[in-house]
Amino acid sequence: MTTHKLPDAERVSALHGLPGWQNVKDRDAISRNFKFQDFNTAFGFMARVALKAEQMNHHPEWFNVYNRVEVVLTTHDAKGVSALDIEMARFMDELAGQ
Ligand SMILES: C[C@H](O)[C@H](O)[C@H]1CNC2=NC(N)=NC(=O)C2=N1
């Protein structure tokens, strides 16, 4: 299963490769804030991520205001961060180009 909680060492090394992402305080999750040029770009990003999320059956928690998208990734079924969260974080970074 890819939905099991990642061992600490794997999580630490995955986060090294995802410099924009950090552990969430008081929660077993990772987060990143993205800032885009405008709402259209932010929402386009969200639309593409939504399609990927459906394909993966793995859905982000996020909050959008205008050009900002605040993302929290965790695997509810695993009660923690799994390989799916790392895959989603990499996808988002690649898409955002930042
Ligand atoms: C029933 C359905 O497959 C599950 O609830 C999926 C849907 N999307 C999900 N998304 C996330 N982030 N974590 C999950 O555990 C999860 N589980």
Side-chain angles (χ1 to χ4, degrees):
M1 280 264 279
T2 44
T3 51
H4 72 269
K5 213 176 122 140
L6 274 187
D8 283 348
E10 283 181 43
R11 177 165 170 175
V12 167
S13 83
L15 281 176
H16 273 299
L18 292 165
W21 293 82
Q22 55 194 312
N23 289 306
V24 175
K25 201 169 171 269
D26 300 330
R27 249 196 104 180
D28 198 337
I30 56 173
S31 73
R32 177 167 184 185
N33 297 334
F34 293 93
K35 195 169 182 179
F36 298 92
Q37 275 209 301
D38 51 27
F39 176 74
N40 200 41
T41 314
F43 204 81
F45 167 81
M46 293 175 81
R48 287 174 181 89
V49 170
L51 297 178
K52 175 74 170 176
E54 279 293 277
Q55 276 176 9
M56 290 175 68
N57 191 31
H58 192 64
H59 302 85
E61 299 176 21
W62 51 14
F63 176 79
N64 162 243
V65 178
Y66 180 51
N67 62 344
R68 270 192 300 127
V69 183
E70 300 176 5
V71 179
V72 173
L73 298 179
T74 188
T75 302
H76 305 115
D77 297 340
K79 299 187 173 61
V81 173
S82 75
L84 292 175
D85 298 302
I86 302 303
E87 185 183 341
M88 180 58 91
R90 288 186 182 132
F91 179 80
M92 288 182 175
D93 282 3
E94 195 178 294
L95 202 59
Q98 41 177 287

